[in-house]
Amino acid sequence: MPYTFQSETSDIVEVKKSKISKAGKGLFAKQAIKRGDHICLYFGVLVFKDQVHNGYYESDYMLEDPAHDFIIDAADPKSCLGRYANDSLSMTKSNCKFAFYDDPFSGYLQATKAIKKGEEIYVSYGKDY
């Protein structure tokens, strides 16, 4: 399966203890981020959709783009910084969304609101979560 590691360093975000009780780690802005900005990558192992949909592969860190044959699994803590973004379970707190690059196929977090320095990054995991 294709795989790559994302550098754990970023001028934009950092990983710290989440403000959500019992959530573990979270992703925080190291600087102000504007609406529409690329925040960080969401990348890891690329798994064929059929393997996941037929029950042969499971992970809590899967990101699916309906336009591609692969699902991104960022279960490895070294895979990317985007894996640390939590779902606040409140659409009003969400400040980014998942988006995709085609070449090479990868995911990323994109700001949907202005995010202040020090603010936690929240993304919706979807209606099934």
Side-chain angles (χ1 to χ4, degrees):
M1 285 182 243
Y3 191 78
T4 189
F5 282 102
Q6 159 78 22
S7 170
E8 286 293 324
T9 62
S10 170
D11 292 335
I12 300 169
V13 292
E14 64 184 331
V15 177
K16 300 191 306 189
K17 184 178 178 352
S18 176
K19 294 178 182 176
I20 299 173
S21 178
K22 300 180 184 176
K25 295 177 180 178
L27 193 64
F28 291 81
K30 287 171 70 174
Q31 63 183 35
I33 301 169
K34 292 183 259 179
R35 182 176 187 263
D37 280 359
H38 166 104
I39 297 172
C40 63
L41 286 176
Y42 194 97
F43 204 73
V45 175
L46 296 180
V47 182
F48 284 108
K49 282 184 181 178
D50 289 347
Q51 288 179 303
V52 174
H53 294 172
N54 292 319
Y56 296 111
Y57 191 94
E58 275 187 33
S59 173
D60 290 333
Y61 293 88
M62 290 191 288
L63 179 61
E64 182 175 353
D65 177 7
H68 287 88
D69 293 332
F70 292 102
I71 293 175
I72 299 167
D73 177 20
D76 189 309
K78 294 180 182 176
S79 61
C80 63
L81 292 169
R83 73 182 299 282
Y84 293 100
N86 288 310
D87 188 327
S88 71
L89 301 178
S90 166
M91 289 309 292
T92 59
K93 285 187 178 181
S94 289
N95 51 20
C96 70
K97 67 179 181 178
F98 291 113
F100 297 91
Y101 291 118
D102 286 325
D103 190 20
F105 173 58
S106 56
Y108 66 98
L109 296 176
Q110 181 180 36
T112 56
K113 301 176 181 176
I115 302 170
K116 297 177 184 171
K117 180 180 178 179
E119 192 174 339
E120 188 162 2
I121 309 280
Y122 295 120
V123 64
S124 172
Y125 293 168
K127 61 184 177 190
D128 295 334
Y129 179 70

